[in-house]
C-alpha cells in the first residue's frame, strides 16, 4: 500500500542540523521499483512494486563521513542515501517528528522553502541530473 507521506520527499531538499553544530543538506527523489529476485533471461519472476527513496547528502567531511585523500576536512562532498521497506517506514515516521537519522545519529530536519528550493535546484542542477 502506498503511504501518502512519501510525497513530501519527491524532488525535495532539507537542511539537516546536528546538535553539535554540523549542518548539511539532503535531497530526496522517489521512484517505484521492482526487484527480480530470481529467474533467467528467458523467464523471470519480479517482486511486487515498492517505493524507493534515493537521496544525496551534501556537506563537509564531518557531515558526510568522507575524508579527502589528505585526511583533512576540505571541500563539500556528496554521498548517496537510499531507503525502502522498513528503512522507508522509519524515514517517514522520523520526518513526522522533524528528524533524520544519518551516520547513526539523529539530526534535525528542516525542509527548504520554495525560493530556497529553487536556488538549490539551480546550484545543483548538474549533480541532480546525473
Amino acid at each position: 500500500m502506498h503511504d501518502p507521506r512519501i510525497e513530501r520527499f519527491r524532488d525535495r531538499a532539507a537542511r539537516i542540523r546536528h546538535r553539535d553544530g554540523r549542518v548539511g543538506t539532503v535531497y530526496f527523489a522517489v521512484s517505484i521499483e521492482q526487484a527480480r529476485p530470481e529467474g533467467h533471461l528467458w523467464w523471470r519472476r519480479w517482486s511486487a512494486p515498492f517505493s524507493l527513496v534515493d537521496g544525496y547528502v551534501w556537506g563537509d567531511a564531518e557531515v558526510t563521513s568522507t575524508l579527502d585523500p589528505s585526511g583533512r576536512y576540505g571541500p563539500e562532498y556528496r554521498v548517496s542515501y537510499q531507503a525502502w521497506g522498513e528503512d522507508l517506514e522509519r524515514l517517514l515516521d522520523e520526518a513526522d517528528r522533524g528528524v533524520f537519522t544519518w551516520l547513526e545519529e539523529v539530526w534535525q530536519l528542516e525542509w527548504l522553502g520554495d525560493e530556497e528550493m529553487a536556488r538549490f535546484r539551480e546550484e545543483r542542477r548538474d549533480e541532480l541530473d546525473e
Side-chain angles (χ1 to χ4, degrees), residues 45-114:
R45 186 176 306 169
W46 295 90
S47 71
F50 60 93
S51 296
L52 171 70
V53 172
D54 275 310
Y56 297 101
V57 177
W58 279 272
D60 66 15
E62 292 180 306
V63 172
T64 62
S65 190
T66 307
L67 298 175
D68 69 16
S70 70
R72 292 183 301 226
Y73 298 127
E76 194 170 67
Y77 294 95
R78 178 186 77 168
V79 293
S80 298
Y81 168 85
Q82 283 192 328
W84 68 90
E86 291 178 11
D87 290 337
L88 178 56
E89 286 299 316
R90 185 173 37 257
L91 175 67
L92 297 173
D93 292 343
E94 288 179 349
D96 287 343
R97 296 190 320 270
V99 297
F100 177 67
T101 299
W102 177 245
L103 303 176
E104 300 180 13
E105 298 176 289
V106 177
W107 300 64
Q108 184 180 8
L109 182 70
E110 303 166 1
W111 294 103
L112 301 184
D114 292 340

Side-chain angles (χ1 to χ4, degrees), residues 12-28:
R12 291 296 312 270
R15 189 165 294 105
I16 54 174
R17 294 181 191 276
H18 195 272
R19 68 177 174 263
D20 67 7
R22 291 178 286 167
V23 178
T25 304
V26 61
Y27 176 83
F28 299 101

Side-chain angles (χ1 to χ4, degrees), residues 29-48:
V30 177
S31 61
I32 302 298
E33 301 291 329
Q34 283 186 291
R36 187 182 62 167
E38 57 186 50
H40 296 286
L41 206 49
W42 58 93
W43 66 272
R44 292 183 176 137
R45 186 176 306 169
W46 295 90
S47 71

